[in-house]
Amino acid sequence: MYDCHVHTNFSTDAVMDIRDAIRVSNKLGIGLIITDHMDYKHHIPNEFIFDPDEYFNEYEIYRSEKLLLGVEIGFRDDSLKEIRELKDNYPFDFIIGAIHVVNGIDIYYKEYYEGKSKEQAYEEYLKNMLLLVKHHDFFDSLAHMDYITRYSIYKDKGLYYKDFPDLIDEILKELLIADKAIEINTRWIHDKNTVDNFIIILKRFRELGGKYVTIGSDAHRPEDIGVNFDIAKEIVYVCDLKPVYYKGRKPYYVK
Ligand SMILES: [Zn+2]
Ligand SMILES: [Zn+2]
């Protein structure tokens, strides 16, 4: 088993020494893929960005079968040049593609939702995700599809397949065309409603012919590594999907 989504001190919002991450993963008996944040042109200067030379210089000595080096790239279409240079010039094992910023605003902030109905806010978010997956050369797995449900301001925050079937189908089909994985992000799956909604989307992914999933805790602190993996395994089983991890940007089945 691998935790395929872990942030360490190179992520500006994480407090995790890589040695502590390794200690915890050894204790849990799982492998790790470090995926620090790289969000080019974030509206807060110097946030969610790191120096990839420093990252590889510092972390290369820890690299092993059980400790792989990846990155979580926040997609925006005006930074495709930087994103492609990053993936071409550095030997990442794994790249997660994520939507954190929509039309210039980080959807973590309530400003994104102000003056928008839930339908508008979620549709814009999913349209950006569709753009991301159409640029599928730079990533391996689509991060936290339900990210918006963590921070949106609406009473019912759920992302329902039935509300956007065409858009979600298009996203899933793009993933399939390029044989990409979808992530089960375990950080927020203690909530049954979130799990049930995501299972519907994952079953649709399976129905369309998809099979690869990556499982990641999105841990920003050592104690969150591997959190809720028991639930993730159940989801994988129920949806008949295959968990994979990536090394050298190639998928391998998780045992
Ligand atoms: Zn993320
Ligand atoms: Zn993350």
Side-chain angles (χ1 to χ4, degrees):
M1 200 72 199
Y2 279 76
D3 188 334
C4 299
H5 190 153
V6 174
H7 295 276
T8 66
N9 287 337
F10 276 94
S11 295
T12 56
D13 61 344
V15 185
M16 174 134 52
D17 189 303
I18 191 169
R19 289 164 296 188
D20 291 330
I22 293 168
R23 258 193 292 278
V24 173
S25 65
N26 284 341
K27 219 164 107 189
L28 295 171
I30 60 175
L32 282 188
I33 309 183
I34 307 297
T35 52
D36 280 311
H37 280 296
M38 191 68 108
D39 277 58
Y40 290 107
K41 300 182 186 170
H42 196 275
H43 54 86
I44 307 174
N46 303 319
E47 280 295 302
F48 304 109
I49 200 129
F50 64 84
D51 179 339
D53 289 315
E54 264 178 49
Y55 176 81
F56 281 101
N57 283 341
E58 204 173 304
Y59 284 179
E60 194 59 49
I61 53 163
Y62 300 107
R63 211 172 194 171
S64 72
E65 265 311 305
K66 287 285 176 193
L67 192 283
L68 301 168
L69 298 179
V71 60
E72 177 180 13
I73 298 181
F75 172 78
R76 43 190 289 172
D77 57 352
D78 61 358
S79 55
L80 257 180
K81 188 175 160 281
E82 290 86 343
I83 290 171
R84 289 195 166 129
E85 276 172 12
L86 181 73
K87 71 113 179 143
D88 287 341
N89 294 331
Y90 294 93
F92 291 107
D93 285 301
F94 177 50
I95 301 179
I96 307 179
I99 293 288
H100 301 127
V101 170
V102 177
N103 302 337
I105 310 176
D106 192 326
I107 62 172
Y108 172 84
Y109 295 99
K110 66 176 189 314
E111 284 84 340
Y112 172 70
Y113 308 95
E114 277 167 2
K116 288 190 188 103
S117 65
K118 179 184 172 188
E119 198 191 344
Q120 284 170 325
Y122 280 45
E123 191 177 313
E124 256 179 64
Y125 165 71
L126 290 171
K127 280 188 171 161
N128 267 265
M129 193 177 288
L130 180 58
L131 257 184
L132 181 160
V133 295
K134 283 189 170 169
H135 292 110
H136 41 59
D137 60 322
F138 81 83
F139 78 98
D140 305 306
S141 184
L142 173 66
H144 47 54
M145 191 182 218
D146 55 355
Y147 180 75
I148 197 166
T149 66
R150 301 179 189 177
Y151 306 114
S152 83
I153 57 168
Y154 310 103
K155 193 159 170 273
D156 178 356
K157 300 180 193 325
L159 174 67
Y160 301 105
Y161 177 77
K162 66 175 169 51
D163 291 341
F164 305 96
D166 297 339
L167 206 40
I168 292 175
D169 272 4
E170 265 192 274
I171 292 168
L172 299 177
K173 283 176 188 165
E174 284 294 336
L175 289 174
L176 294 174
I177 289 169
D179 215 15
K180 301 293 172 185
I182 189 166
E183 178 188 72
I184 300 178
N185 189 298
T186 61
R187 190 170 170 187
W188 290 67
I189 59 169
H190 43 74
D191 164 12
K192 192 177 176 311
N193 194 35
T194 306
V195 172
D196 290 347
N197 290 335
F198 199 41
I199 282 178
I200 291 170
I201 292 172
L202 288 176
K203 280 189 169 166
R204 180 68 179 143
F205 179 63
R206 183 75 193 101
E207 191 177 53
L208 291 168
K211 53 178 191 277
Y212 295 161
V213 278
T214 57
I215 299 174
S217 68
D218 212 347
H220 286 63
R221 308 173 304 172
E223 58 267 41
D224 292 333
I225 290 172
V227 75
N228 296 324
F229 270 31
D230 49 337
I231 302 175
K233 282 183 199 164
E234 225 176 284
I235 295 173
V236 164
Y237 178 74
V238 167
C239 299
D240 187 27
L241 292 163
K242 289 247 178 291
V244 290
Y245 69 97
Y246 284 73
K247 189 181 156 194
R249 306 229 28 226
K250 288 193 181 68
Y252 294 89
Y253 289 129
V254 170
K255 277 175 229 110

